[in-house]
Amino acid sequence: MKALDLKLARDLWRMRGQALAIALVLAAATATFVLSVGVHGSLVATRDAYYARSHFADVFATLKRAPRSIVARIADIPGVQRAEGNIIQYATLDFPGREEPIRALINSVDEFGRSRLNAITLRKGILPRPEHASDVVVDENFAKANGLGLGSTVAAQIYGRRQTLVIVGIGMAPNYVYALAPGDLVPDERRFGIFWMGRKALEAATDRREAINTLSLTLDRGASQAEVIRKVDSILAPYGGTGAYGREDHLSNAFLDSELKQLSAMTRIIPPIFLLVSTFLVYIVLGRMIRTEREQIGLIKAFGYSGWAIGWHYLKFALAVALLAIVLGSLAGIWMGQAMTRLYAEYYRFPFLTYRLSPPVFLAAGALAIGAAALGALGGVRSAMALQPAVAMSPPPPPVYRAGTVERLGQLAGFSALGHMIVRHVARWPGRSAITVLGVGLSMGLLFATMQFVDASKAMLDQFFARSQHQDLTVTFTEARNEHAIHALAQIPGVLRVEASRTIPVMLRLGARSKRTAIESADPASQLTARIDGTGQEVALPPAGLMLSRQLADQLRAKIGDPIEVELLGGRRTRSVQQLVRIVDEVVGARAYAGQGTLERIARDAAPADAVLLRIDPQARTRILTRLKDMPVVLGVTERQAALEKFTEVIDSNILTMISFYIAFAAAIAVGVVYNSARILFSERAHELATLRVLGYLNSEVAIVLLGEIALLVVLALPLGCMLGYAMAQLMIAMFSSDLFRLPYAATRASYGFAAVVVLSAALATALLVARRVMKLDMVRVLKARE
Amino acid sequence: MNGKDVALDESLAFRGEGLEKVYQTGETSVRALRGVDLAIPLGEMLVLLGPSGSGKSTLLNIIGGLDRPTSGRLFYRDTELTALDDRELTRFRRAQIGFIFQFYNLIPSLTAEENVRLVTDIANNPMEPRDALELVGLADRCDHYPAQLSGGEQQRVAVARAIAKRPGVLLCDEPTGALDSSTGVRVLETLERAHAELGTTVVIITHNVGIAVMAHRILHFRDGQIARVETNEHPVEPRQISW
């Protein structure tokens, strides 16, 4: 090994604490990059392979009922590659000993194996056989969650009829990667399952002989999706078509897209923060190292080493730190990526979802880490290269302190001599002080932004479940019912209140923009539902005109007062124009509302109820649920409490993983920044600190000079951290919002507090670690040497 | 007075008996002090002379409470320094000792006056920092930072800092080592003035035989021992010295 490389190795060992502290921050950059890009890549690759292999359709349509022959007409539309018609039907299941409502969405599948689109991937067993009316395939997550296997039987109430189903296969399909029950926000694999039944059997069970109520199609390469959708809609209009839509509006696919969007948002926000802090740390540490080794550099140059050789020597120090960071970060990234992929596998139903190690991801992460370290080294390396040997070997000019603004403040505050030492040192090195403040501020900001995420999810939960829904049960009917059915429900003992809920599928248009959605309405005197806007205020349904959620209004670029064209779907294709009278800031979905009168004018009839909301006596829950299961008109029952609990459970388990990662990351920044600042401070001031000891200052008093400066910088960093945190949180909200969710900004004071406490603790522990060196100061040796 | 009598004598500032100091450096040990006995009377001006490595700095550090002997006992008046712990030694330095070093050891971020205040802030009965600077002839440089002062001026600030707490003892390690002759003399004059006006015991280490003539006594060091004690009946005033 060359002598200069030996020096490098020993320098690294001597400065191992500082090198490791920088490496940890840089490793966090590598880890988050490997994590988010890696998981994103795995998810995209898995999705694409799965979609291609199982022929996930490009366009989807639902309708009331059409003869099967319509499929051929659809297939003849130019640009359509293949079209398949099926039946989908919600059903309630009856598990012995389980009183809570369990629902299934049953899909028909060709029992002769002629179905191609949205193909089932069988895990076990076989597809439903012809002439075996009770054969079903069940989705794997539901089967696992409910202990079902091949040969298990399930009692189902389909279209008002009881039927026993026999499980012959367990599998999954690409149109139910994210299988969400209506009214739920997260999949509940215990209470909602996807079933596939033979076509003939489901036709018979639902009185739809040779009829369909859903269509899937794939398109030729280069075909215009919009054009095909327009033609499909016009063919399906007489059959109660509710408007065809592409993959982007397909619920399962949209959830997956929103997850991918969040991952790429994370890639763009988190690793850059760590990279920035690492660059700064390398800059200050290497800068200090080169200043202290000034005379050595002069000597080495005097021996005949070139400026480049010296520059390369110090650059290698930064690169060595980067290499360590790449190794640590990659390992951590892989470990976290696997944990996150496992988490995804719980919610997304893929036949395979593994965390793939892709070399380009690691190469990119490594390039970023090396780039950040090299950038940080640039300033120091250039100054080392530029040093003239003769100048370098003479001691550096003493640091010049001058009275400035800080000084006058100090005079006013009546600082002690130690106070002046602290404040003037901060002012003497403004760049480094600013880096410390910024680094600690970023650490706190990152932690705060993460905590705000938790708060936002809880606020969303509160708005969606606690404040806007007051019913205990939601009962959906097999088809829209009138007052009679509602009255019958009200008669069940224990039912305290019944309210009808009306939803009609519509197409909204404004100018060239259109959006397929549904208009919701409720009784004017409704007690069980409320619409809550962003400020937490309850918003009444307008007596006339439409109210849109902010999401939907933005998509249509609609302003209050704009005339919105409303086309009724799923039956008579009536059109009317309604004025947009109000925009409401809601957290979930892109929704439209109207008062009952408006809804009836749009529908041109006294719109019947397709669902009712019930408030019940908790004592009577079991009895009521049992009664509802036996009612043929009831399609399904959703329990608000169960949905709320499931969502809370998901948030809690995700949060635990996420928060522990981010506490570790934020602490890594705080520790890295504070440790390096404190070590540099200590090395710069060792001479002064020893002098103070000689003059009769106690260890604890001397430590104040060290800790005081760190404390001052950390305290300055706290308000900055709050501001950075606020900005990062807003950025994350903007980047994470999708059609499905819009997170509210809902930071609690506890989050600011928690972020501050974690950062302060990390800073304090680190500073104390360095302050212990004060105890070991060798007064005699330090004073013998000229600084 | 290089006697073995360590009984309580109220006229003595320091009394030491059998002071040994062994430095362990790696596998070799260096005996910096080899059984030194000494007695320094209150108010004495004492010079320690000797070549590098003869043990004089080690002794100065030990009597200043910066270091401990490996064996032997040392008293300052009626306090046994060798029995004190770290904290008590610090308190002793704080109360009794003023140090002056070859390289001044001023805090660069503090002005001359503030450097003095560093000591008066923690002393029991200090002077006003400005009075101390006045005593060394730097009253007009109070607000200057070390970088704005010459070497001699910086050393005089160090002297002001050392005397401002009215210490019992001034310990000076090569106080003129980094200064030219005329500047050095000015520093010695301020030391002499502190000694005369405050009655402080002064111990000066030097290589410089020329300085020794201002002392009451001169201890010659060689190989960790006091080789010879020289008593000076007629100490010379600093302004008559040059080198």
Side-chain angles (χ1 to χ4, degrees):
Chain A
M1 199 187 248
K2 285 189 198 156
L4 217 49
D5 289 334
L6 271 174
K7 173 181 175 308
L8 174 68
R10 292 198 185 131
D11 284 347
L12 278 166
W13 179 245
R14 182 170 54 84
M15 296 180 68
R16 56 191 178 277
Q18 284 173 271
L20 186 67
I22 302 174
L24 281 182
V25 180
L26 200 49
T30 310
T32 46
F33 185 85
V34 167
L35 167 72
S36 50
V37 177
V39 172
H40 188 275
S42 301
L43 215 50
V44 167
T46 304
R47 178 196 66 182
D48 292 349
Y50 184 37
Y51 280 2
R53 203 181 72 180
S54 52
H55 309 286
F56 183 46
D58 296 314
V59 171
F60 308 84
T62 52
L63 50 142
K64 262 208 164 62
R65 180 190 183 114
R68 179 160 289 282
S69 57
I70 201 101
V71 177
R73 279 178 65 195
I74 297 282
D76 284 343
I77 297 173
V80 172
Q81 190 184 54
R82 184 182 175 88
E84 285 183 8
N86 277 302
I87 299 172
I88 53 170
Q89 178 65 51
Y90 282 97
T92 40
L93 306 179
D94 197 1
F95 281 67
R98 299 258 304 271
E99 67 226 15
E100 81 267 25
I102 301 168
R103 281 181 295 168
L105 178 57
I106 307 180
N107 296 251
S108 67
V109 57
D110 189 286
E111 52 278 78
F112 297 100
R114 288 172 299 200
S115 295
R116 282 283 170 273
L117 304 186
N118 307 326
I120 301 169
T121 302
L122 276 177
R123 281 289 202 216
K124 272 187 216 160
I126 52 168
L127 290 175
R129 295 159 292 178
E131 314 302 329
H132 286 73
S134 55
D135 280 5
V136 285
V137 171
V138 179
D139 88 71
E140 190 181 25
N141 286 26
F142 181 78
K144 266 191 196 150
N146 293 290
L148 302 174
L150 296 181
S152 301
T153 56
V154 180
Q157 173 107 345
I158 308 170
Y159 214 61
R161 271 175 231 143
R162 269 193 170 281
Q163 202 171 336
T164 300
L165 306 174
V166 181
I167 296 174
V168 295
I170 290 172
M172 59 192 67
N175 48 339
Y176 297 108
V177 169
Y178 197 80
L180 205 57
D184 278 359
L185 288 182
V186 289
D188 187 343
E189 60 287 341
R190 265 176 68 76
R191 295 186 186 81
F192 179 66
I194 307 297
F195 282 48
W196 290 268
M197 213 171 157
R199 200 181 91 194
K200 290 281 176 216
L202 194 57
E203 279 181 2
T206 60
D207 290 335
R208 289 190 183 97
R209 204 161 301 275
E210 282 304 314
I212 60 161
N213 67 357
T214 180
L215 266 165
S216 303
L217 25 145
T218 46
L219 304 181
D220 287 328
R221 191 182 292 271
S224 156
Q225 180 175 299
E227 187 60 20
V228 171
I229 285 178
R230 208 179 53 75
K231 287 187 173 138
V232 169
D233 280 350
S234 80
I235 293 175
L236 295 184
Y239 303 102
T242 53
Y245 52 93
R247 281 184 180 184
E248 66 281 1
D249 287 327
H250 184 276
L251 191 66
S252 164
N253 185 66
F255 264 93
L256 203 50
D257 264 353
S258 128
E259 191 69 52
L260 289 168
K261 198 177 153 194
Q262 291 184 14
L263 277 171
S264 57
M266 186 178 147
T267 314
R268 270 172 289 161
I269 300 175
I270 313 285
I273 292 175
F274 290 106
L275 289 173
L276 182 72
V277 175
S278 314
T279 300
F280 283 149
L281 287 181
V282 172
Y283 172 74
I284 62 170
V285 168
L286 211 62
R288 168 67 189 167
M289 184 175 164
I290 286 165
R291 275 195 303 282
T292 54
E293 295 187 354
R294 205 183 135 86
E295 292 174 35
Q296 295 180 39
I297 293 169
L299 197 67
I300 295 169
K301 282 193 173 174
F303 291 155
Y305 281 90
S306 68
W308 289 103
I310 300 285
W312 176 229
H313 171 70
Y314 286 104
L315 186 61
K316 276 196 285 192
F317 182 90
L319 297 183
V321 171
L323 276 179
L324 177 65
I326 293 168
V327 172
L328 290 178
S330 299
L331 291 176
I334 292 170
W335 178 71
M336 290 189 297
Q338 285 169 340
M340 201 144 156
T341 311
R342 270 198 299 277
L343 208 61
Y344 281 145
E346 277 180 40
Y347 303 114
Y348 295 100
R349 303 171 189 197
F350 282 114
F352 47 89
L353 178 58
T354 48
Y355 181 64
R356 291 189 327 150
L357 300 179
S358 139
V361 173
F362 292 94
L363 286 178
L368 284 173
I370 286 174
L375 188 66
L378 208 62
V381 165
R382 272 177 41 189
S383 72
M385 288 172 70
L387 263 182
Q388 293 300 319
V391 179
M393 282 194 293
S394 61
V400 178
Y401 289 87
R402 296 207 186 284
T405 318
V406 183
E407 180 59 38
R408 284 186 280 282
L409 287 175
Q411 302 286 10
L412 286 176
F415 278 174
S416 68
L418 293 190
H420 280 304
M421 280 178 75
I422 291 171
V423 173
R424 285 184 197 148
H425 197 260
V426 168
R428 174 69 184 74
W429 300 99
R432 199 171 68 220
S433 303
I435 285 172
T436 307
V437 171
L438 181 68
V440 175
L442 280 170
S443 146
M444 181 178 158
L446 181 65
L447 195 55
F448 169 75
T450 317
M451 297 298 298
Q452 159 1 86
F453 224 76
V454 180
D455 297 334
S457 307
K458 293 206 165 138
M460 191 169 93
L461 194 78
D462 180 61
Q463 259 191 53
F464 188 73
F465 284 111
R467 312 238 8 229
S468 44
Q469 300 189 5
H470 303 294
Q471 82 278 20
D472 296 310
L473 301 176
T474 304
V475 178
T476 43
F477 296 127
T478 46
E479 55 195 61
R481 297 281 157 170
N482 55 22
E483 293 301 319
H484 181 71
I486 296 169
H487 187 69
L489 288 176
Q491 297 305 311
I492 301 174
V495 171
L496 304 177
R497 189 176 171 87
V498 179
E499 285 180 14
S501 156
R502 296 180 172 81
T503 307
I504 54 169
V506 292
M507 178 72 85
L508 301 183
R509 287 194 187 87
L510 177 65
R513 295 171 187 281
S514 63
K515 183 75 189 168
R516 211 177 56 89
T517 181
I519 299 179
E520 299 170 38
S521 184
D523 286 340
S526 169
Q527 292 177 10
L528 300 184
T529 57
R531 281 135 304 271
I532 308 296
D533 75 2
T535 59
Q537 296 292 311
E538 191 172 328
V539 180
L541 290 178
L546 284 183
M547 177 163 88
L548 301 186
S549 71
R550 172 80 53 201
Q551 299 270 80
L552 190 51
D554 286 350
Q555 282 166 15
L556 291 171
R557 304 243 174 108
K559 301 182 301 293
I560 288 178
D562 281 348
I564 311 278
E565 187 194 299
V566 181
E567 182 187 355
L568 188 68
L569 300 173
R572 274 170 296 175
R573 291 242 156 178
T574 62
R575 287 180 191 215
S576 62
V577 172
Q578 300 290 336
Q579 204 179 32
L580 173 58
V581 293
R582 178 144 202 177
I583 293 173
V584 57
D585 283 298
E586 278 191 322
V587 290
V588 174
R591 297 148 71 117
Y593 301 95
Q596 221 169 334
T598 314
L599 200 71
E600 283 170 15
R601 275 193 297 282
I602 295 169
R604 302 211 177 143
D605 63 12
D610 48 5
V612 290
L613 310 176
L614 302 187
R615 179 176 284 163
I616 60 166
D617 175 1
Q619 306 283 330
R621 174 176 169 269
T622 313
R623 223 171 37 243
I624 294 170
L625 289 173
T626 316
R627 273 291 292 279
L628 289 172
K629 273 186 210 170
D630 293 335
M631 294 175 78
V633 294
V634 170
L635 175 69
V637 179
T638 314
E639 229 177 333
R640 175 178 153 272
Q641 190 58 31
L644 178 63
E645 277 166 15
K646 182 68 189 176
F647 192 61
T648 313
E649 180 196 313
V650 169
I651 293 185
D652 286 348
S653 77
N654 283 350
I655 278 168
L656 211 67
T657 315
M658 193 160 91
I659 292 292
S660 50
F661 286 168
Y662 280 87
I663 289 177
F665 287 149
I669 296 191
V671 167
V673 170
V674 171
Y675 185 75
N676 276 303
S677 302
R679 282 304 301 270
I680 289 175
L681 190 58
F682 182 78
S683 93
E684 275 174 358
R685 302 207 105 166
H687 201 83
E688 294 174 31
L689 300 181
T691 304
L692 289 177
R693 289 281 290 124
V694 169
L695 293 178
Y697 278 84
L698 298 170
N699 275 326
S700 52
E701 292 165 329
V702 173
I704 284 175
V705 176
L706 196 65
L707 294 178
E709 181 166 337
I710 299 291
L712 177 66
L713 297 177
V714 170
V715 166
L716 286 176
L718 291 185
L720 179 72
C722 291
M723 286 187 274
L724 287 172
Y726 178 81
M728 276 188 244
Q730 293 290 3
L731 192 66
M732 278 163 111
I733 285 173
M735 293 179 103
F736 277 38
S737 286
S738 64
D739 267 15
L740 309 166
F741 297 110
R742 209 169 53 84
L743 287 173
Y745 178 79
T748 59
R749 257 183 255 163
S751 293
Y752 280 108
F754 180 79
V757 165
V758 169
V759 169
L760 281 177
S761 311
L764 181 70
T766 313
L768 284 177
L769 195 71
V770 178
R772 275 197 352 204
R773 289 174 177 262
V774 170
M775 308 281 202
K776 296 180 191 152
L777 266 178
D778 183 345
M779 292 178 269
V780 176
R781 201 174 61 90
V782 174
L783 292 183
K784 278 286 171 202
R786 200 187 177 111
E787 193 187 2
Chain B
M1 286 191 53
N2 186 15
K4 291 206 169 192
D5 177 18
V6 290
L8 191 64
D9 180 340
E10 292 195 347
S11 68
L12 292 184
F14 290 99
R15 306 182 307 284
E17 160 183 73
L19 295 172
E20 296 239 3
K21 180 71 188 181
V22 181
Y23 290 109
Q24 202 71 37
T25 52
E27 304 203 339
T28 60
S29 55
V30 178
R31 293 182 68 197
L33 288 183
R34 303 165 182 249
V36 171
D37 301 325
L38 88 163
I40 303 173
L42 282 170
E44 187 180 45
M45 165 106 41
L46 181 71
V47 163
L48 310 185
L49 262 182
S52 299
S54 59
K56 51 191 197 310
S57 286
T58 306
L59 181 67
L60 192 83
N61 291 337
I62 289 173
I63 64 179
L66 292 179
D67 207 348
R68 294 161 194 284
T70 314
S71 64
R73 298 173 77 195
L74 177 67
F75 291 83
Y76 174 73
R77 307 185 81 161
D78 51 0
T79 308
E80 186 179 354
L81 297 182
T82 37
L84 300 184
D85 65 16
D86 243 18
R87 203 178 166 83
E88 290 163 334
L89 271 183
T90 304
R91 298 250 178 233
F92 159 71
R93 287 201 302 275
R94 179 185 288 205
Q96 301 297 345
I97 306 291
F99 280 105
I100 294 155
F101 299 95
Q102 181 178 3
F103 296 117
Y104 333 132
N105 288 311
L106 297 180
I107 306 290
S109 59
L110 296 180
T111 62
E113 185 184 348
E114 288 160 349
N115 261 288
V116 178
R117 255 179 58 200
L118 208 51
V119 162
T120 60
D121 277 350
I122 56 168
N124 286 328
N125 177 32
M127 300 179 198
E128 277 301 310
R130 278 180 183 266
D131 294 344
L133 285 166
E134 177 112 46
L135 214 58
V136 298
L138 285 176
D140 55 337
R141 314 288 269 173
C142 281
D143 294 329
H144 287 61
Y145 286 90
Q148 297 165 315
L149 298 171
S150 72
E153 286 172 328
Q154 289 188 52
Q155 189 62 302
R156 277 148 65 202
V157 174
V159 173
R161 185 175 67 181
I163 62 177
K165 65 166 126 173
R166 304 181 207 276
V169 185
L170 269 178
L171 299 179
C172 318
D173 195 345
E174 300 279 8
T176 59
L179 303 174
D180 62 54
S181 168
S182 64
T183 318
V185 167
R186 285 213 68 179
V187 170
L188 293 178
E189 277 178 335
T190 55
L191 282 178
E192 165 60 29
R193 203 166 150 195
H195 172 250
E197 292 181 12
L198 305 171
T200 314
T201 307
V202 178
V203 181
I204 302 172
I205 283 188
T206 182
H207 276 93
N208 191 338
V209 186
I211 291 175
V213 294
M214 67 184 277
H216 296 131
R217 273 198 309 152
I218 301 138
L219 305 186
H220 292 268
F221 270 75
R222 189 178 302 145
D223 296 334
Q225 285 174 317
I226 298 172
R228 187 159 62 87
V229 181
E230 196 181 323
T231 308
N232 188 0
E233 298 297 337
H234 305 287
V236 170
E237 285 190 20
R239 61 186 159 82
Q240 294 171 273
I241 303 173
S242 71
W243 61 85

